[in-house]
Amino acid sequence: MDFTVENILIPADHPCFDGHFPGHPIFPAVAQLDLVLDHLQRILDQSLTLSEVRKAKFPAPILPGTRVHLSLKVQDHTAFWKIFADDKIYSQGMVQFIKSLL
C-alpha cells in the first residue's frame, strides 16, 4: 500500500524546538519518526509500536514553520518513509512495527 500525506505543517511553536537547539531550532529525528508512526496508525487504523529502525537518513534539517509531505509504502510490518518538499528530501528510511498490546 502506498500513501502520501501532503502539506503537514511543522509548527514553529512545537515544544521540541525549545531544546533542539537553542538559537538554531531543527525538528529532531525522533520527532520525525513519531510523525511517521502517527500517520501509520491513522492509515492502518490501529495502535502501533515501532519495533526497529532498519534504515534512516536525515540529509536536510526541518526548520520551524516548514510544510512537508510524507510518503509511506507499507508491506506487512515494514514501512518505507520519505519526508520531503518539492525537490528536497528531509528524511527517509525503513521501520518495522508491531501492533501495540495496549
Side-chain angles (χ1 to χ4, degrees), residues 10-70:
I10 308 301
D13 62 350
H14 193 288
C16 73
F17 290 123
D18 292 341
H20 199 267
F21 295 98
H24 302 285
I26 61 172
F27 199 55
V30 69
Q32 293 178 53
L33 290 171
D34 189 53
L35 183 73
V36 170
L37 177 62
D38 180 54
H39 285 282
L40 274 172
Q41 292 180 119
R42 290 181 196 190
I43 289 166
L44 299 176
D45 193 28
Q46 54 185 294
S47 182
L48 304 171
T49 300
L50 290 183
S51 57
E52 185 176 357
V53 178
R54 303 281 319 251
K55 185 188 298 185
K57 293 184 181 184
F58 302 88
I62 299 176
L63 303 178
T66 300
R67 286 197 178 273
V68 299
H69 310 296
L70 171 62

